[in-house]
Amino acid sequence: MLDNIRLVISVTLVTINTAVITVLISLLALIKLLIPVASVTKLSNRASDAVFWLWATVNLGILSSMNRIDWQIEGGEELSKEQWYLMMSNHRSWADIVVLASVMKDRMPMPKFFLKHDLLYVPFVGLACWGLDMPFMRRHSREFLLKNPERRNDDFNAIQKSCQKFQNNPTTVVNFVEGTRVNADKLATVKTPYQHLLKPKTGGVAFALSNMGHMLNGVVDVTLAYPENQESPFEDMLKGKMTKIVVRIKVHPMDENLDGNYFEDKVFKRRFHGWLNGTWEEKDQYLDGVYSSKQ
């Protein structure tokens, strides 16, 4: 009974917070549309990020008041809110977005997530994300692309359009490299060499690097884990049952593994694949240690 009461309270508070923030961000987006002047756009973008920061701060307050969480955060001391980053993370739950925004809001520019196009139509959320210039990915099926080959570059065009808007303000672009949330069923049915992760998809990361590599200060590799709430972390968070969150942050410099032309340089492409697969293997080993330690 108490869990359900907490769930209702959490959902109500988060919804109100999101609705208010959406209205503010939408007004700022409208200003950008009506006054297409560079200085106005830059000021509006910074104001939108500040409003997004407020959303994350209020959500963290709601989360902290409803749960007694043992936060285990490692790394990220060298991050700056005045630089540009590409962030990669494993993806376990809807809770990931709340956690990343909460943990990173005072360490680096507010994150811009690669989102599924369907989220554009979610009340409040879609409008706010559009106002923040987040790229929406259609992720067409193989069958659709065979019938409509001219739509093959839809996602790349969306990334390129968004990345162009990020040049004037320090930005963090976030990509959940596995492309979908991981659960026990997917790990059992999808071919993957990892125990806790799906295979990383290189396309989105590679295209973001191709468009933003010249202004990036590093690639931020985040590993998320909910060792005592693996089955339903988002629901547990809303019910006040979240007990422990692990966040490991590693910052990779823009070295030869990350700085190159993925689409035209075959040598760099192989090197990048090797680097990403190695990063994912190390991440899987780390997660295995996190989950084993609670047993």
Side-chain angles (χ1 to χ4, degrees):
M1 183 65 177
L2 184 58
D3 288 350
N4 291 332
I5 293 175
R6 286 175 176 165
L7 176 63
V8 171
I9 294 174
S10 296
V11 171
T12 300
L13 292 176
V14 170
T15 300
I16 292 173
N17 180 34
T18 304
V20 172
I21 294 305
T22 296
V23 172
L24 294 176
I25 290 176
S26 299
L27 290 174
L28 291 167
L30 183 61
I31 291 173
K32 286 193 295 184
L33 288 174
L34 295 177
I35 311 176
V37 178
S39 58
V40 174
T41 298
K42 184 175 181 178
L43 184 61
S44 179
N45 286 337
R46 284 190 173 271
S48 294
D49 283 346
V51 174
F52 189 24
W53 178 91
L54 180 62
W55 175 83
T57 301
V58 173
N59 276 345
L60 179 59
I62 297 170
L63 172 63
S64 299
S65 66
M66 292 292 177
N67 300 267
R68 288 189 174 183
I69 301 174
D70 174 17
W71 290 89
Q72 297 195 358
I73 303 173
E74 174 189 341
E77 293 82 5
E78 68 270 51
L79 295 173
S80 168
K81 297 185 75 172
E82 298 302 320
Q83 295 187 332
W84 282 257
Y85 301 103
L86 173 63
M87 183 193 298
M88 307 185 309
S89 175
N90 61 309
H91 195 14
R92 188 79 192 189
S93 162
W94 280 103
D96 300 345
I97 294 176
V98 177
V99 170
L100 285 175
S102 298
V103 171
M104 300 299 187
K105 66 184 182 67
D106 295 318
R107 298 169 181 259
M108 60 197 305
M110 290 305 294
K112 314 288 187 180
F113 295 90
F114 284 27
L115 301 171
K116 292 181 179 180
H117 195 266
D118 293 346
L119 291 177
L120 182 60
Y121 305 105
V122 175
F124 303 131
V125 175
L127 189 59
C129 293
W130 172 81
L132 288 164
D133 294 323
M134 296 189 188
F136 288 89
M137 318 294 288
R138 292 184 181 274
R139 293 173 181 168
H140 298 307
S141 67
R142 179 181 178 85
E143 293 74 17
F144 178 88
L145 292 176
L146 288 174
K147 294 179 181 178
N148 304 273
E150 73 280 1
R151 304 290 298 276
R152 188 174 299 276
N153 292 323
D154 280 358
D155 286 348
F156 290 158
N157 292 337
I159 295 172
Q160 186 176 42
K161 185 177 180 180
S162 292
C163 289
Q164 289 173 350
K165 297 178 181 180
F166 299 151
Q167 295 186 40
N168 296 320
N169 286 315
T171 304
T172 303
V173 179
V174 184
N175 184 222
F176 291 116
V177 187
E178 294 155 295
T180 185
R181 294 186 301 278
V182 175
N183 56 41
D185 290 339
K186 290 177 183 176
L187 288 172
T189 57
V190 176
K191 290 184 179 180
T192 174
Y194 312 110
Q195 288 183 274
H196 309 286
L197 301 167
L198 300 179
K199 287 182 179 180
K201 297 183 178 181
T202 58
V205 176
F207 205 81
L209 284 172
S210 296
N211 281 274
M212 296 183 65
H214 63 286
M215 57 184 176
L216 289 176
N217 297 101
V219 170
V220 181
D221 173 25
V222 179
T223 306
L224 298 173
Y226 311 94
E228 298 170 359
N229 303 83
Q230 292 186 56
E231 296 303 318
S232 53
F234 190 51
E235 181 179 341
D236 288 350
M237 180 184 291
L238 294 174
K239 288 183 176 180
K241 297 167 62 177
M242 180 67 69
T243 56
K244 185 176 181 180
I245 297 177
V246 176
V247 183
R248 186 188 64 163
I249 307 165
K250 295 182 69 174
V251 182
H252 300 277
M254 296 300 295
D255 58 16
E256 62 178 8
N257 293 312
L258 299 170
D259 189 8
N261 191 326
Y262 179 89
F263 299 97
E264 296 181 10
D265 186 342
K266 292 183 178 179
V267 174
F268 172 75
K269 184 175 182 177
R270 287 194 296 270
R271 187 163 62 240
F272 176 74
H273 273 273
W275 175 83
L276 185 58
N277 289 331
T279 298
W280 232 242
E281 182 177 351
E282 192 274 334
K283 185 189 294 286
D284 192 57
Q285 293 172 356
Y286 175 80
L287 286 171
D288 194 50
V290 170
Y291 294 134
S292 297
S293 64
K294 79 176 188 66
Q295 296 175 355

